Amino acid sequence: MSPVGPLLTATVFLPAVGALVILAFARSDRSVRTWALAVALVDLVLSLLVFSMFDRSDGAARFQFVEQFSWFSVDTFKASYLLGVDGLSAPLVALTGLLGICAILASWHVDVRVREHYIWLLVLQTSVMGVFTSLDLLLFFLFWELELVPMYMLISIWGAGRKEYSAMKFLIFTLLGSAFMLVAIVAVFLTPEIGTFNMIELSQAGTMLSGGVLIPLASLFWMFFIAFAIKLPTWPVHTWLPDAHTDAPTAASVMLAGVLLKMGGYGLLRINVGMFPDQAEQYAWVLVALGVISVLYGAVVTIRQTDLKRLIAYSSVSHMGLVMLGIGSIGITQGTLTSAGLNGAAMQLFTHGTITGLLFLATGLIYDKAHTRYIPDLGGVAGRMPIVATAFLIAGLASLGLPGLSGFVSEVLVFLGAFRAYPWPTALAVLGIVLAAGYILWMMERAFFGRPRERFADLTDANLVEAAPLVLLVITIVGIGVYPALLTEVFEIGLEPMIRVLNGGG
Amino acid sequence: MTWAWLIPVLSFAAAPLIVVAGRFLPGKGSFLAILAIAAGFGLFWLTLSGFLEANTSTEGCARIVSAETGKESGPLTCQYEKTWFYAGLPGLEDSVELTWGILIDPVTVVMLGLVTFVALMVQVYSLGYMRGDPKFGWYYAVHALFAASMLTLVLADNFLLLYVSWELVGACSYLLIGFWHERPAAREAAKKAFVVTRIGDVGMLVGILLLWREVGSFEMSAAFEAVRNGAIGEGTATAAALLLFLGAMGKSAQFPFHVWLPDAMEGPTPVSALIHAATMVVAGVYLVARAYPIFEASGSALLVVAIIGLLTALMSSTIALVSTDLKRILAYSTISHLGLMMLSLGAFGYTAAVFHLLAHGFAKALLFLGAGSVLHSTEEQDVRNMGGLRRVMPLTTIVFSIGALSLGGIPILSGFWSKDEILLAVSQHRNVVFLILTLVTAFLSALYMARAMFVPFFGQLPAKLEHVHDAPPSMAVPMALLAVLAVGFGFLAFNWPGEYVGFGGFVFDAKPHGFEFLVWLGAISIVLAVVAFAIGYVLYIRGAYRSERERAGKSGLVKMVESKYYIDEVYQWTIDRLVLIFANFIGLFDRAVVNDLAVNGPANTVRHVGIALRVHITGHVYSYALGMVAGTLVVAVIWWIVAG
């Protein structure tokens, strides 16, 4: 138990409780919005508390704010309600809080089934928070699955275009991965020597999963891997992402790109690297190969996209490839692994969350006002919407890795780490930054710059509610870009035990 | 000198201030940018005097100490750093420490002088030139950021910080070239500048990663030390040097990455002056000069630098000869001179390159500001429509001529001395083919300068230009100051009596490489320059119009040069035919194969199997009974066959 009471439980379940309150008491759309905003605001404060109160001193516990209650036990097997954060998950909790409030604000103009929309958003936030904080495999899996429902609803009800198809595609893809993960979890369950779902114990040095597992450890590794690779997503299981993004409403896109994808990267780090260090090191080259392919393939496909949202979605495939590449940096280092690659991967999770969140927010605003996302139809928007265009420009420059903005830090760390182990593949992946410059600047040029068009004469810039999340994210992007130690030091604390295990230490 | 970091920081601070508060301030906050850079210029003098007084006992300062002899050599180098962030826990052995650090050595000091002075001149000049522009404040904010980034670049003591500022310089040039983004050409040019230079940046980044992998640190001094003591072999040094050079080729517009620079004139003219003289393009030359120990360790890398430099210089000086746009002529002239600097570096002429960088910087800033003054009042860029401007713009004519004569290599002006030093380096370290081609380039560069000077300013004044006026004071003063330097800067090269040992002595410090002058080489270069200007006079003043108009499209060779050797077309073809078609193909592959076949395929199969099976689920008892009977019969038959 933490010194401030059940902080994590409060952070995780406050949105869900808020959703119940809205269901029961909120009468008008207006009060629904106010309630949702208030809940998200309090949750943001709570998540920032988790982040800032996380004890960074030497000798502090690895997992903090731990809350544990026995849930059920079968024979010797105990499942428990176990929450806690370490240096890896604390920043991601903060990220979820941050994007949560952005999503709420981005939904301000929704006028169809308002109450449901906000309820699903809040439930979504609870489930993602749950994934990042639960330290019991079963609980982790429950939250992982819970997240599907609200996202499915958000896309299929408030989406556009082929929304049912996209929502179903998203659902089936993720469920396919979950099926593999469930098998792996059952295998853990059926192995008496392990006898625990406790992820703290499972990820301790020397791997708890060493002896007498029902099926080979490598296959467990791959089953978890498939689940997380789909979520990330990596090539070639990425095709759900462009569809889901394109058809999702703005708030859902923000959450999807901002935090849902990050669950995949988090799972890879926490479970694949944390619990199967030997296998992770052995198969790191697969991760590197997939990473490099995703980076380049995603970037090449992005160049030809004409829909703003689809373009950002494909660029996400490219950028998530960097996460793979960073994690792949643990290969062939022979006990001399530095944390650069893993830290870069973790940083990329956070920075991509804020950058892409901002891109989707700005795109949403443009779509609401100009009623098109088709790039050739836009053009000259910057003249009418300077705030939105500036935010978009900053996010775009961050996305192409401009120093001083957050994207650069994670990119460079990933390259540093990966280059030590795999110089040639990494050099190939660096080419991605040229392609990124190409597609981002081409998009800026065609959609934003130029003489404002006649029919955009009455476009209005972002108002206060719309600008607030933009400003929030711009501050985060610039802040991390200028002073990355804010995050790198915390991630480092979380990654350091893993690296010690990987380097063969105790 | 520990506070030299203030020089860029002041300008860095000015930029956001202008963006946020500029609209409430007089002059939209432009004075903030000017004050910041003026303070930077003042601090440059303090740094210079501090550096001249410093010795190895000064805090942070040292010379290279040879391991064997224990002797000190090389220039005095002062280094001060602060931690930025760690990739790894602070204190852990294997963690990567990323620092903000500044390194002050003679090259840094002279670059600080060049950048702060030219940026200050350009910003003052812009007060007049950009007056009334709706985005006046934004212009100054980006200007401040631009100068700050470039100053960080020359101060950086580690490769990562250098890369950071390198990219920021690129981004600022993107914003300034595309400043008038309503014009399609400006948008195109801005994007082109950023993307083309970024191709080089990939090489540079990989080079930095390679050095980090080998050395375990981003610090330049550590890398140089590793090269010196042999921790890095020649193969690796060659690879690292060539990769870094890729970055330098992009920024310094070397063939084949030069295509962005002529288009970059779409930005406001003072921006061109800044880009061509003090920031952006000189960054590449600076990078090679800064990382020179790595290049020196590899003879083949230096040879590549020399060849690329010579090729660039030769190619662009021919294009400059036939361009009709005043700013484009100047742009190709810049490329040509950057090529000469690279050639000089590749011919062990380190001092000469840095010297020419400065001499060219002052003259080119002057020429661009002069051209800006012409464009400002005539609103005309095509030299074929100009002539006789000396009657209406006397001051501009004088300063422009000084710049042109200086770059053309007319004696006692600064360009003559620096060009001569380059010729000297080439004649001493490269073979005679290099020397002849360099002399050809020198001749051509004098010729196109003569053309740029004679055609617009001398000869007949067209009637419609009779109303034009000369530059207002805010534009005239910076031009006059730059003109003084374009004339007199070269005298720094001499071995003056007393302590001062000339420019080479300052840059090389401990191994005095004083000013040298070969009479025969100097004579050739003087003759070439004078002849070129004489030919220019004959060609362009006697019938400037006729020769300009009749030449167009005469011979195949001229046509090829006029089409800039079709290099832009090759790029366009590569992008259209290779990159975009490849992207289309991959995009199609993604939809058709990965999505439709691999994803929707199984989904559709499942659906069809379901539909097919559904036919048999009729819900009628008799059809099920029939199935049972049929099944029983089949089982019975099999049983009978197997068992019987």
Side-chain angles (χ1 to χ4, degrees), chain A residues 309-323:
Chain A
K309 281 182 112 175
R310 203 172 256 287
L311 192 150
I312 303 167
Y314 270 110
S315 81
S316 292
V317 175
S318 179
H319 284 127
M320 288 295 101
L322 287 176
V323 174

Side-chain angles (χ1 to χ4, degrees), chain A residues 165 169 238 297 301 304 314 337-339 400 403 413 416 419-420 433-434 441 445 449-450 482 484 492, chain B residues 84-85 87-88 94 164 167-168 174 181 187-188 191 194 198 202 212-213 218 584 586 590 595 599-600:
Chain A
Y165 167 82
K169 195 168 176 180
H238 63 277
Y297 183 98
V301 177
R304 290 309 272 168
Y314 270 110
L337 179 68
T338 63
S339 56
L400 62 80
L413 287 175
L416 280 181
F419 193 82
R420 274 191 68 184
I433 70 171
V434 176
L441 296 186
E445 179 192 343
F449 297 145
V482 174
E492 193 60 36
Chain B
W84 181 20
F85 71 101
D94 58 358
V164 166
E167 289 292 299
L168 284 176
Y174 169 76
H181 66 74
R187 297 201 299 273
E188 277 291 325
K191 185 186 66 185
F194 197 89
R198 205 140 219 252
V202 168
W212 179 75
R213 187 173 190 247
F218 287 116
N584 275 343
I586 294 286
D590 191 61
N595 188 56
V599 174
N600 286 351

